Amino acid sequence: MAAPANEWLSCTLPASNPACDARRAAMSPVLFVSLLLLVAPCRGDAGYDMDEFLKREYSLTKPYQGVGSSSSSHWDLMGTAMITPEHVRLTPDLQSRLGAVWSRIPCFLRDWEMKVQFKIHGQGKKNLNGDGMALWLTKERMQNGPVFGNMNRFTGLGIFVDTYPNEDKNEPQKSYSPGSQRVFPYISAMVANGSQLYDHDHDGRPTELGGCTALVRNVNHDTFLLIRYMQNRLTVMMDIDGKQDWRECLDVPGVRLPKGYYFGASSATGDLSDNHDLISLRLYQLTVHRTPEEEERDLEEITLPSVDNMPLWNAVEKQDGMSGVTLFFTILFSIIGIFVLVVVAVVLYGRWKEKSRKRFY
């Protein structure tokens, strides 16, 4: 047993040895392939380590053991959301349902990427289904509301997969140029600081950061969304054609999101319905190289969500208009008030005239 060991040690010396040279030549390809196999599984499309930086505490995958009401769960269910062996069904294909799943752990990552597999399907025909689903990173959690099952005036980021064109129903006579015309289902994004309203009647158009058409309903292949937040830049991509090919939906620089917010997914149905299924949600921490200047700038604490160079961000929130009954009574009481003032003025004027006449007698 000593001879092979001594022979191996002798090959580590710099002196030339034909047997050792042959052994080194034979082992070089093996070492190269071994190193390649070790490195290859950890590399992502963008050059950072994907598997190593998977954040399981923020991820939701089969068999969904971290979902539920137990003290060890990382996710809470709300409303009609329920767990099955294949997915978390946020809402069934029934009217007036609302469901959501929310992370219990606030996210303090600076740069991250979320890959979501989902499925939207149902019995309704085109434009006779609804309403869609949303993905969230918000300060609030577990709040019912009208924005795809979540509250309005939220604080944070919302990514919407809207399957029903409310604006076409409410304003059928309204027309848009070909470049601004939407085709549904439609993916859009919104950042809010707690004072902005999501305009459901206009499908969120006034506060939309960007969006794209995404034909994701009743398809026979997997559908994915990828949401990347890196160096204050929000990018949303989709793989919805079953070709394992990511296409960009929106890319917005200057998006500033505070840390400590919660991830979530929600859905709602109204008069129209669909099954909204969340199959998996994987969150990756991204490693990004920053210059010293960028590091110093990023040390500034962000207290409220904002978007650079967005005129709408500083706009005054539009107040709800008065109803017809309120307007009628407002006008009526205004007329009565004016009439009373006129009568009082006439009486006072008459008395003043009478006193003036007596003064001359």
Side-chain angles (χ1 to χ4, degrees):
M1 295 298 292
N6 291 334
E7 185 179 2
W8 172 259
L9 289 173
S10 67
C11 289
T12 63
L13 299 176
S16 176
N17 185 326
C20 290
D21 292 342
R23 188 176 292 111
R24 290 191 190 101
M27 291 185 64
S28 296
V30 176
L31 289 171
F32 176 76
V33 172
S34 299
L35 289 172
L36 184 63
L37 290 175
L38 285 172
V39 174
C42 296
R43 301 300 290 177
D45 294 338
Y48 40 77
D49 297 338
M50 294 291 286
D51 289 339
E52 185 177 350
F53 292 99
L54 174 68
K55 307 300 287 185
R56 298 187 183 279
E57 64 269 32
Y58 301 116
S59 299
L60 185 64
T61 58
K62 298 176 185 178
Y64 313 115
Q65 293 179 343
V67 184
S69 57
S70 70
S71 59
S72 61
S73 297
H74 292 163
W75 295 82
D76 285 321
L77 296 175
M78 185 180 74
T80 59
M82 61 179 294
I83 301 173
T84 75
E86 299 301 321
H87 51 250
V88 176
R89 175 154 291 173
L90 300 175
T91 57
D93 191 3
L94 297 170
Q95 294 179 336
S96 303
R97 297 295 191 270
L98 180 155
V101 58
W102 284 95
S103 173
R104 291 183 178 180
I105 306 173
C107 179
F108 290 93
L109 301 180
R110 182 162 55 170
D111 303 287
W112 50 267
E113 182 177 276
M114 178 188 289
K115 184 178 180 181
V116 182
Q117 183 179 0
F118 65 100
K119 189 175 183 65
I120 300 176
H121 57 105
Q123 300 297 320
K125 296 181 180 180
K126 184 178 180 180
N127 291 342
L128 291 176
N129 57 277
D131 285 327
M133 62 182 294
L135 302 165
W136 304 96
L137 177 63
T138 57
K139 179 180 179 181
E140 309 85 5
R141 64 185 295 273
M142 302 290 287
Q143 300 292 322
N144 293 339
V147 186
F148 300 96
N150 191 27
M151 63 180 290
N152 216 330
R153 291 190 176 91
F154 60 89
T155 308
L157 169 68
I159 306 293
F160 311 123
V161 184
D162 193 349
T163 58
Y164 183 72
N166 291 285
E167 189 171 40
D168 291 349
K169 179 190 72 172
N170 296 326
E171 301 180 28
Q173 75 283 357
K174 195 169 185 176
S175 61
Y176 291 95
S177 63
S180 61
Q181 181 67 44
R182 289 175 167 184
V183 177
F184 283 73
Y186 188 83
I187 296 173
S188 63
M190 174 182 173
V191 171
N193 63 7
S195 62
Q196 288 76 21
L197 279 171
Y198 176 84
D199 189 345
H200 189 270
D201 291 341
H202 294 88
D203 303 307
R205 187 186 287 268
T207 51
E208 175 190 323
L209 295 180
C212 64
T213 295
L215 304 180
V216 296
R217 183 176 180 271
N218 281 351
V219 295
N220 295 322
H221 48 261
D222 295 334
T223 48
F224 298 89
L225 276 183
L226 186 145
I227 305 165
R228 180 182 297 148
Y229 181 67
M230 183 172 65
Q231 293 184 307
N232 297 326
R233 191 180 196 97
L234 176 67
T235 305
V236 177
M237 306 181 75
M238 57 184 181
D239 175 12
I240 60 172
D241 300 321
K243 299 179 180 179
Q244 298 183 346
D245 180 29
W246 291 103
R247 291 189 288 119
E248 186 176 289
C249 178
L250 61 94
D251 183 46
V252 184
V255 176
R256 306 187 184 278
L257 300 174
K259 298 176 183 177
Y261 285 10
Y262 297 91
F263 288 108
S266 67
S267 176
T269 65
D271 294 335
L272 304 173
S273 62
D274 257 338
N275 297 302
H276 298 92
D277 300 335
L278 181 64
I279 299 172
S280 66
L281 185 155
R282 291 180 170 88
L283 189 81
Y284 300 92
Q285 182 178 5
L286 304 184
T287 300
V288 180
H289 174 73
R290 284 177 168 82
T291 64
E293 294 78 11
E294 290 173 334
E295 286 285 355
E296 185 176 355
R297 186 168 59 249
D298 287 348
L299 288 176
E300 298 177 4
E301 184 180 3
I302 302 172
T303 57
L304 274 179
S306 64
V307 182
D308 294 349
N309 304 318
M310 287 290 292
L312 181 64
W313 196 254
N314 299 319
V316 178
E317 184 182 323
K318 184 178 73 174
Q319 299 295 323
D320 294 335
M322 290 186 293
S323 66
V325 175
T326 304
L327 182 62
F328 170 76
F329 281 107
T330 300
I331 295 173
L332 178 62
F333 287 126
S334 298
I335 294 173
I336 293 174
I338 293 171
F339 177 76
V340 170
L341 289 175
V342 170
V343 170
V344 171
V346 169
V347 171
L348 292 176
Y349 179 75
R351 289 181 179 178
W352 178 79
K353 289 285 288 182
E354 184 177 353
K355 288 181 180 180
S356 299
R357 193 179 305 113
K358 289 180 179 178
R359 195 176 302 138
F360 290 103
Y361 289 110

